[in-house]
């Protein structure tokens, strides 16, 4: 399929135009190949609704091919690579991502709708850092010696130790909100530990994963160690159910996370899940209000609210509620809506028409239930999938806008009374991914952090991540931890060896 280069591509880098000119294939066993069934799909620019390029659609046979090539590499050449060799490879990939950051960011902006400037400064810099961070880990994955007794062998002498071994062939299934970054939450940690990876990017945003495969191949990646299968949910389901996949790492909706658990049962593969959220931002009256207004607004508007950690429930102490919510609404109203390729845009389009309908559906339901929009409340324009940044008040805890993950630039704000406390409201959710607390009282802020059931709590900031900090969810926000040392645990298994001396 040859597509007309769409007009919004006029100001993108020649390398991006070149990348988009050709139909995209699957990356299996170090080769670029068509899907076995010859199927393809089109990926679109959400700023215009125009097609970007055509992409191969992987089916079950392609999953078999990728898994088989991964198994060959895992049992063969890759198993002979020393930790230092893996370290050098991952470091080279990190360096190459820095070098190509602008190009990757433009590709991401076109495919996802996010700001190219933010994608370069945040997504790409952090992606490169994650490769470098786990490059460092490759040479530091250690076992222990264990002083054992073996009670029924008195007088015997033992030498016991543990080793950390890779899990094997890992499937990685990722969403569309931070396409390359979500790959980087999984791929470098898995490879650092000596695993191989079959990556399935989201159907809405397949492009940067394919460009990553090119970059990794150029950096010296052996065949089979990393495959990219572009496709839809059925491709992901085939990976999750595959009997020769040893682990599946998934980031996405809680609903699909539960399907992954079911699919993984056949061979009891290991499963790690990073799922949805409805993260509270707790604002006490003693907070630095100017900083808290800007920070909480960005906490729910960053990436147009398409973040699993979006601070979409503002719990605000009652005596500052009106002043505070007016301040946040003003920030929302002053945000400039426009395409990700325009450096002056604050809020870009949502990723797809489906997502536009979902988000506006939630807003309309909230308004019908009795909520008031202090800002926004509608779609913006008629071209592209834009939604006005929306702050809803007069919201009851039973409303769907309060309970469910919306994944758009929408937050609800509700007041709390200091004597009643905020703990019950903060934890009134099936999710437990993240939260933030805004206060100048250090003890109160730490006490609140302790009371909140969430995998990450930020104090006087929101969405402040680091490669070294473990990330994952309590409750229905997931299983296991990514980033930091937690990911090393999740991509290795421990072997105990006991020697009778
Ligand atoms: P979102 O709601 O953010 O689109 P999803 O959870 O639907 O997130 O999708 C996240 C990823 O999971 C995507 O790559 C998608 O193709 C994939 N996926 C969707 N359905 C399934 C499934 N049944 N099994 C495995 N992967 C799936």
């Amino acid at each position: 399929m040859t597509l007309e280069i769409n007009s919004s591509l006029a100001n993108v880098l020649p390398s991006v135009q070149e990348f988009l000119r050709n139909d995209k294939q699957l990356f299996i066993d170090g080769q670029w190949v068509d899907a076995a069934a010859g199927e393809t799909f089109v990926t679109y620019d959400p700023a215009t609704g125009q097609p970007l390029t055509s992409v191969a659609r992987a089916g079950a046979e392609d999953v078999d091919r990728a898994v088989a090539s991964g198994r060959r590499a895992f049992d063969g050449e890759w198993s002979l690579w020393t930790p230092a060799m893996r370290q050098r490879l991952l470091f080279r990939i990190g360096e190459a991502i820095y070098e190509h950051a602008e190009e990757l960011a433009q590709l991401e902006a076109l495919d996802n709708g996010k700001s190219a400037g933010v994608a370069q400064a945040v997504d790409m810099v952090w992606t490169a850092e994650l490769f470098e961070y786990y490059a460092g880990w490759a040479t530091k994955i250690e076992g222990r010696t264990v002083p054992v007794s073996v009670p029924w062998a008195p007088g015997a002498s033992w030498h016991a130790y543990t080793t950390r071994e890779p899990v094997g062939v890992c499937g990685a299934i990722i969403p569309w909100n931070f396409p390359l970054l979500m790959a980087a939450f999984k791929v470098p940690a898995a490879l650092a530990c000596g695993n191989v990876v079959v990556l399935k990017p989201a159907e809405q945003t397949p492009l940067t994963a394919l460009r990553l495969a090119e970059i990794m191949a150029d950096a010296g990646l052996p065949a089979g160690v990393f495959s990219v299968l572009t496709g839809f949910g059925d491709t992901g389901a085939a990976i999750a159910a595959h009997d020769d996949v040893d682990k599946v790492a998934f980031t996405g909706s809680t609903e699909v996370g539960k399907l992954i658990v079911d699919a993984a049962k056949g061979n009891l593969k290991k499963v790690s899940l990073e799922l949805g959220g409805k993260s509270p931002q707790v604002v006490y009256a003693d907070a630095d209000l100017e900083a808290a207004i800007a920070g909480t607004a960005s906490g729910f508007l960053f990436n147009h609210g398409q973040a699993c950690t979006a601070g979409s429930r503002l719990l605000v102490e009652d005596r500052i509620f009106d002043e505070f919510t007016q301040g946040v609404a003003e920030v929302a109203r002053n945000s400039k809506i426009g395409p990700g390729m325009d450096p002056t845009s604050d809020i870009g389009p949502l990723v797809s028409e489906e997502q536009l309908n979902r988000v506006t559906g939630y807003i309309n339901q909230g308004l019908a239930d009795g909520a008031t929009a202090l800002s926004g409340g509608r779609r913006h324009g008629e071209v592209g999938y834009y939604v006005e940044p929306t702050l809803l008040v007069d919201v009851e805890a039973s409303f769907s806008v309060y309970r469910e993950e919306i994944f758009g630039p929408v937050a609800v704000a509700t007041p709390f009374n200091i004597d009643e406390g905020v703990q019950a409201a903060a934890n009134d959710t099936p999710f437990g991914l993240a939260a933030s607390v805004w206060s100048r009282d250090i003890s109160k802020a730490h006490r609140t952090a302790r009371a909140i059931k969430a995998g990450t709590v930020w104090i006087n900031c929101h969405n402040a991540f680091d490669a070294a900090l473990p990330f994952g969810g309590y409750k229905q926000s997931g299983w296991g931890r990514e980033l930091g040392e937690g990911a090393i645990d999740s991509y290795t298994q421990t072997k105990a060896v006991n020697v009778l001396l």
Side-chain angles (χ1 to χ4, degrees), residues 194-264:
N195 299 283
V196 303
V197 178
V198 176
L199 175 70
K200 209 298 277 178
E203 54 272 32
Q204 297 87 347
T205 54
L207 297 180
T208 45
L210 296 168
R211 186 70 188 97
L212 175 67
E214 291 180 350
I215 288 172
M216 288 174 65
D218 289 347
L221 177 87
V225 171
F226 176 64
S227 308
V228 180
L229 299 180
T230 43
F232 287 67
D234 58 312
T235 315
I239 294 171
H242 202 289
D243 277 341
D244 205 29
V245 170
D246 301 298
K247 173 185 164 88
V248 62
F250 172 77
T251 301
S253 60
T254 294
E255 186 190 353
V256 174
K258 292 178 182 179
L259 295 175
I260 300 270
V261 170
D262 281 341

Side-chain angles (χ1 to χ4, degrees), residues 42-245:
V42 173
T43 185
Y44 294 89
D45 176 354
T48 59
Q50 296 294 307
L52 284 168
T53 191
S54 163
V55 182
R57 178 172 179 167
E61 202 180 319
D62 304 301
V63 173
D64 285 342
R65 284 198 288 169
V67 172
S69 79
R71 179 63 61 195
R72 276 195 303 278
F74 184 72
D75 290 340
E77 184 192 347
W78 186 234
S79 68
L80 304 177
W81 275 49
T82 63
M85 290 165 77
R86 297 201 301 270
Q87 173 175 274
R88 267 198 300 279
L89 173 69
L90 290 170
F91 203 81
R92 274 202 301 272
I93 297 166
E95 291 282 273
I97 291 166
Y98 276 124
E99 279 161 28
H100 294 280
E102 186 180 5
E103 173 199 334
L104 286 162
Q106 290 196 355
L107 208 49
E108 205 79 298
L110 290 168
D111 211 13
N112 166 280
K114 66 172 63 198
S115 150
V118 173
Q120 188 170 342
V122 178
D123 300 43
M124 299 314 150
V125 166
W126 202 21
T127 295
E129 260 186 33
L130 283 164
F131 274 90
E132 293 183 346
Y133 175 79
Y134 284 107
W137 265 108
T139 48
K140 295 157 197 78
I141 301 168
E142 298 171 348
R144 303 165 64 188
T145 54
V146 185
V148 294
S149 308
V150 190
W152 48 88
S157 182
W158 306 95
H159 170 55
Y161 61 95
T162 61
T163 55
R164 308 292 300 275
E165 299 185 354
V167 178
V169 178
C170 299
I173 303 171
I174 57 171
W176 45 259
N177 57 342
F178 296 92
L180 195 62
L181 187 57
M182 289 300 102
F185 269 40
K186 299 178 168 42
V187 175
L191 299 189
C193 297
N195 299 283
V196 303
V197 178
V198 176
L199 175 70
K200 209 298 277 178
E203 54 272 32
Q204 297 87 347
T205 54
L207 297 180
T208 45
L210 296 168
R211 186 70 188 97
L212 175 67
E214 291 180 350
I215 288 172
M216 288 174 65
D218 289 347
L221 177 87
V225 171
F226 176 64
S227 308
V228 180
L229 299 180
T230 43
F232 287 67
D234 58 312
T235 315
I239 294 171
H242 202 289
D243 277 341
D244 205 29
V245 170

Side-chain angles (χ1 to χ4, degrees), residues 341-487:
M341 289 302 298
D342 177 347
T344 66
S345 303
D346 299 310
I347 302 283
L350 300 185
V351 72
S352 62
E353 189 169 6
E354 183 188 356
Q355 197 58 19
L356 169 73
N357 292 335
R358 182 184 145 90
V359 172
T360 51
Y362 269 114
I363 296 173
N364 293 339
Q365 183 61 50
L367 296 173
D369 287 342
T372 306
L374 280 192
S375 68
R378 279 175 315 199
R379 178 178 184 180
H380 170 88
E382 276 164 21
V383 177
Y385 312 130
Y386 298 94
V387 172
E388 295 174 348
T390 299
L391 182 65
L392 299 174
V393 295
D394 302 323
V395 170
E396 303 286 328
S398 57
F399 291 5
S400 58
V401 283
Y402 186 92
R403 305 214 69 76
E404 294 174 27
E405 183 173 45
I406 297 175
F407 233 63
V410 183
V412 297
T414 51
F416 72 90
N417 182 273
I418 195 76
D419 297 325
E420 287 159 21
V422 71
Q423 179 174 352
N427 290 330
D428 180 20
T429 167
F431 299 111
L433 192 59
S436 56
V437 181
W438 300 80
S439 170
R440 284 192 173 107
D441 179 336
I442 294 174
S443 301
K444 188 163 60 180
H446 282 285
R447 274 199 308 276
T448 309
R450 185 176 290 180
I452 293 176
K453 292 182 170 55
T456 297
V457 182
W458 292 290
I459 296 179
N460 293 329
C461 56
H462 197 95
N463 282 335
F465 293 96
D466 190 84
L469 274 172
F471 177 66
Y474 282 33
K475 301 195 270 184
Q476 293 193 33
S477 288
W479 287 353
R481 293 291 176 270
E482 298 190 300
L483 308 183
E485 192 172 359

